[in-house]
């Protein structure tokens, strides 16, 4: 397959679509191509939003493509749109490739609506932080699939997760693709199977679009590398006890023997995240500096939260997300305390990566805290404690944003390039899944 050809056909984008725009596009495509696109409702979100999937293609293999598993990660919504349109326009891709595609542009529309304040300004890092929302861990669609192991049991599946489960039960996919992205790290991948050849092809897709590969610290300390910027996908049983979550979509895909892929892409490119030049700092010291800064943030937020808790009246999703972060993040980062092989010089990528994590966490959760306090003020709850902490953390946000900008060397990545990488990865992985299914 000429993956580069399909990547070259990705149009320019200037913004991420709102939830209403996603629905409108699905309606338009289904109405314009009723013989090709089957549009159906697969479930309902917690707030009553319809969850819809578009099915297109001739089969006999099935692929489930999941957009927006985390609502602050909307690149996938554009990737779903692009893939769906290319399938409509390209008979060979639609009929000869061998897949029925089941495409979900956004599986968490409730959360997506809380991020729409920055969707029209995707290159604006301040807007991103000010309008950022990511649910508490146990409220995330990606991490609430059932787990029934002896060590950890989880059955608090969300309606959105149950919709994905029903779809997979119905079609028994050969390929499942969960479309993710980060902020400032480089491009990297998670694969459910240890396939170095596919991992190398996926890395080449990212570098071909000019994206730096992520060669800094892994997202999860226990991640097992397959190749450069590629890891074996951690299963829920490995993460559940630390995060207080269930399984991931990879755990459910395993039931069908499906190849599962996650593509993680940044919004901003910093070439240093791929720089493996040794520095004069020990890697263990870089890790400890990052952990100390994150713990200082947790302590500062916890102290402020304690000073306003008695006055809080609005049970907002921002409050739930913030309290989850303050209550659980220290346990997560504690895994890094015993990370092996740190008595060596840190690379530039590792030093920069640890600093970027600090900046990202500060801005994300300071922004979330301010949104929580603004919800109280907007409801007329203007107690002295709430007003004081709003002013104090408003200034803290400005301070942390200025510090992050002073260290920044990143430039916004064109949305077209990000979508092209996710699209190219989809086609490569689907082709690999098809070969495995036929063997």
């Amino acid at each position: 397959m000429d993956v580069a050809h399909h990547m070259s056909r990705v149009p320019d984008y200037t913004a991420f679509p709102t939830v209403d725009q996603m629905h409108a596009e699905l309606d338009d495509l289904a109405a314009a191509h009723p013989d090709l696109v089957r549009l159906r409702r697969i479930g309902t979100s917690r707030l009553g939003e319809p969850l819809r999937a578009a099915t297109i293609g001739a089969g006999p293999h099935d692929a489930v493509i999941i957009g927006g598993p985390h609502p602050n990660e909307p690149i996938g919504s554009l990737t779903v749109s692009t893939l769906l349109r290319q399938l409509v326009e390209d008979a060979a891709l639609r009929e000869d490739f061998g897949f029925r595609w089941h495409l979900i542009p956004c599986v968490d529309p409730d959360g997506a609506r809380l991020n729409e304040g920055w969707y029209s300004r995707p290159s604006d890092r301040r807007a991103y932080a000010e309008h950022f929302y990511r649910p508490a861990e146990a409220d995330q669609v990606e991490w609430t699939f059932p787990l029934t192991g002896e060590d950890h049991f989880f059955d608090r599946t969300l309606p959105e997760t149950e919709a994905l489960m029903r779809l997979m039960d119905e079609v028994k996919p050969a390929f499942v693709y969960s479309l993710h992205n980060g902020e400032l790290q480089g491009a990297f991948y998670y694969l459910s199977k240890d396939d170095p050849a596919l991992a190398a092809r996926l890395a080449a897709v990212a570098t071909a679009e000019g994206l730096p590969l992520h060669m800094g610290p892994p997202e999860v300390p226990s991640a097992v590398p397959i190749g450069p910027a590629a890891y074996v996908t951690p299963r829920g049983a490995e993460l559940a006890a630390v995060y207080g979550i269930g399984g991931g979509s990879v755990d459910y895909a395993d039931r069908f023997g499906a190849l599962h892929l996650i593509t993680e892409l940044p919004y901003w490119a910093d070439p240093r995240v791929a720089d493996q030049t040794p520095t004069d700092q020990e890697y263990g010291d870089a890790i400890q500096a990052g952990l100390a800064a994150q713990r200082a943030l947790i302590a500062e937020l916890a102290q402020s939260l304690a000073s306003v808790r008695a006055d809080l009246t609005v049970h907002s999703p921002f409050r739930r997300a913030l309290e989850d972060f303050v209550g659980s993040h220290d346990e997560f980062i504690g895994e890094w305390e015993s990370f092996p092989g740190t008595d060596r010089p840190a690379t530039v990528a590792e030093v920069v990566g640890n600093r970027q994590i600090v900046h990202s966490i500060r801005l994300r959760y300071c922004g979330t805290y301010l949104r929580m306090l603004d919800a109280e003020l907007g409801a007329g709850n203007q107690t002295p404690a709430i007003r004081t902490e709003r002013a104090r953390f408003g200034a803290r946000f400005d301070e942390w944003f200025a510090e992050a900008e002073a260290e920044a060397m990143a430039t916004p990545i064109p949305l077209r390039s990000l979508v092209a990488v996710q699209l190219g990865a989809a086609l490569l992985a689907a082709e690999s899944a098809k070969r495995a299914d036929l063997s």
Side-chain angles (χ1 to χ4, degrees):
M1 167 173 290
D2 187 356
V3 172
H5 167 69
H6 293 287
M7 292 172 63
S8 71
R9 294 172 55 204
V10 175
D12 289 327
Y13 292 106
T14 59
F16 295 115
T18 65
V19 174
D20 289 339
Q21 289 169 337
M22 294 181 214
H23 282 308
E25 180 180 40
L26 288 180
D27 289 335
D28 290 346
L29 284 170
H33 305 280
D35 54 330
L36 299 179
V37 180
R38 177 191 175 200
L39 184 59
R40 58 177 168 148
R41 183 168 180 165
I42 60 171
T44 306
S45 76
R46 282 157 283 176
L47 295 182
E49 189 90 40
L51 304 174
R52 303 199 297 171
T55 296
I56 186 171
H61 310 284
D62 288 86
V64 173
I65 314 298
I66 306 168
H70 294 133
N72 61 300
E73 302 179 6
I75 296 171
S77 63
L78 291 177
T79 303
V80 165
S81 170
T82 301
L83 177 56
L84 180 54
R85 288 184 177 278
Q86 289 203 14
L87 287 163
V88 166
E89 297 164 2
D90 189 330
L93 184 64
R94 184 177 64 249
E95 298 171 6
D96 300 340
F97 191 39
F99 274 90
R100 275 182 302 270
W101 301 85
H102 309 277
L103 301 133
I104 306 156
C106 181
V107 77
D108 184 4
D110 301 342
R113 290 189 184 279
L114 297 178
N115 279 276
E116 287 181 351
W118 66 271
Y119 279 6
S120 64
R121 294 174 284 169
S123 64
D124 187 334
R125 192 177 179 190
R126 186 180 183 100
Y128 173 77
E130 289 178 334
H131 297 277
F132 173 88
Y133 169 69
R134 185 182 178 96
E137 297 289 348
D139 293 336
Q140 295 178 12
V141 179
E142 178 62 86
W143 286 114
T144 50
F145 287 82
L147 280 180
T148 55
E150 293 183 4
D151 295 334
H152 189 81
F153 186 89
F154 184 95
D155 61 358
R156 300 188 304 278
T157 53
L158 304 176
E160 297 89 340
T161 312
E162 290 172 355
L164 291 176
M165 291 162 57
R166 286 193 299 270
L167 178 61
M168 284 194 255
D169 287 339
E170 174 193 337
V171 305
K172 297 177 175 52
F175 173 47
V176 177
Y177 190 13
S178 190
L179 295 157
H180 290 250
N181 59 266
E183 295 169 17
L184 277 160
Q185 86 293 333
F188 66 101
Y189 301 91
Y190 288 115
L191 277 168
S192 60
K193 300 175 182 179
D194 188 350
D195 187 338
L198 176 57
R201 290 194 293 271
L202 293 170
V205 164
T207 55
E209 283 293 328
L211 273 64
L213 296 179
H214 182 69
M215 304 304 293
E219 184 180 40
V220 178
S222 59
V224 177
I226 300 173
Y231 304 89
V232 176
T233 314
R235 273 29 177 208
E238 303 169 40
L239 305 174
V242 175
Y243 284 90
I245 56 175
S249 56
V250 64
D251 293 281
Y252 214 74
D254 283 343
R255 298 185 178 203
F256 310 101
L259 175 64
H260 186 280
L261 171 66
I262 291 174
T263 298
E264 295 272 9
L265 301 177
Y267 296 124
W268 297 277
D270 185 334
R272 295 175 298 174
V273 300
D275 189 343
Q276 296 183 281
T277 305
T279 69
D280 57 4
Q281 184 176 9
E282 190 173 276
Y283 187 30
D285 292 340
I287 290 175
Q288 289 303 321
L291 297 182
Q294 291 180 69
R295 287 179 171 136
L297 170 64
I298 294 168
E300 189 168 354
L301 285 171
Q303 183 179 20
S304 180
L305 192 57
S307 72
V308 301
R309 183 169 278 116
D311 293 346
L312 299 178
T313 61
V314 179
H315 294 286
S316 69
F318 311 117
R319 176 179 175 181
R320 182 168 168 81
L322 182 76
E323 289 178 337
D324 179 72
F325 169 75
V326 169
S328 66
H329 190 66
D330 187 73
E331 184 176 2
F332 163 60
I333 63 176
E335 287 192 286
W336 284 98
E337 300 285 8
S338 57
F339 194 71
T342 61
D343 55 345
R344 58 169 176 79
T347 65
V348 170
E350 289 165 341
V351 172
V352 170
N354 276 286
R355 283 298 295 166
Q356 286 181 344
I357 290 169
V358 171
H359 294 313
S360 174
I361 294 295
R362 280 176 175 172
L363 294 175
R364 279 183 171 198
Y365 289 99
C366 187
T368 301
Y369 188 37
L370 293 176
R371 295 189 79 178
M372 185 199 86
L373 294 176
D374 286 341
E376 297 287 342
L377 296 172
N381 184 18
Q382 305 210 12
T383 67
I386 289 175
R387 286 186 287 108
T388 296
E389 292 307 297
R390 178 59 178 85
R392 187 164 78 85
F393 268 85
R396 206 74 171 110
F397 181 94
D398 290 339
E399 177 186 335
W400 282 332
F401 183 77
E403 186 175 325
E405 287 293 283
E407 294 185 24
M409 291 182 60
T411 55
I413 302 170
L415 298 188
R416 194 215 68 81
S417 294
L418 298 172
V419 173
V421 172
Q422 285 194 339
L423 176 70
L427 298 177
L428 285 174
E431 193 168 43
S432 178
K434 181 175 67 173
R435 287 198 304 269
D437 204 41
L438 291 172
S439 62

